[in-house]
Amino acid sequence: MKKITVLSMGMCAVLALASCGTSKESAYKKAYEKAQQQEQQAAQAPVAQEPVVAPLETQAPSDEQTEVDNATVRSEDVSLISGSGLSSYSVVVGSFSLKANAEGLASTLKSAGYDAQIALNTERNMYRVVASTFADKAAAVKSRNQLRAGKYPDAWLLLKK
């Protein structure tokens, strides 16, 4: 008796679920047909031409000027340890807590043709290895970008306080 009851309940469930599928299919079919009709009506309707408006030409800032304006500059109070002297903007390619490491990188830069210098940030006790130094920011940004494209991808700008 229990088997018959369970079997009949299972059959009822199957029939109930089977009937739901056809209603879903018909709803999807109706929506699809409605979308097709709308597309056909849109294709047949006359298209009104909109007037063509030329964009207003404005003088956009050059990419170089934008890059110079957006360049990140770290301002630090540094003192020159070795080298010919620092200008306002310097391109730093290495920072070391040991002076010997800074001297090693500076000699590598000098052999590559750079006027390498070493500056000390006493506040942080870090030796900064400067590859080049400039009076203006634009030249410093250009030099930094050249160094980043080469062997020194972590080069950054230092503004001497």
Side-chain angles (χ1 to χ4, degrees), residues 139-156:
V141 169
K142 185 176 179 182
S143 177
R144 180 205 60 187
N145 292 345
Q146 290 173 348
L147 286 163
R148 281 184 175 177
K151 290 185 177 183
Y152 305 100
D154 295 330
W156 51 276

Side-chain angles (χ1 to χ4, degrees), residues 7 25 37 51 56 67 71 81 84-85 96 101 107 111 117 120 124 135 138 140 156:
L7 187 59
E25 287 178 13
Q37 287 176 354
L56 178 64
E67 185 178 8
I81 300 294
S84 58
F96 302 96
N101 292 343
S107 66
S111 66
Q117 303 176 57
L120 174 65
R124 296 183 182 202
W156 51 276

Side-chain angles (χ1 to χ4, degrees), residues 9 34 48 82 121 133 137 157:
M9 287 175 59
K34 184 176 179 181
S82 69
N121 180 339
T133 184
K137 187 177 178 180
L157 296 178

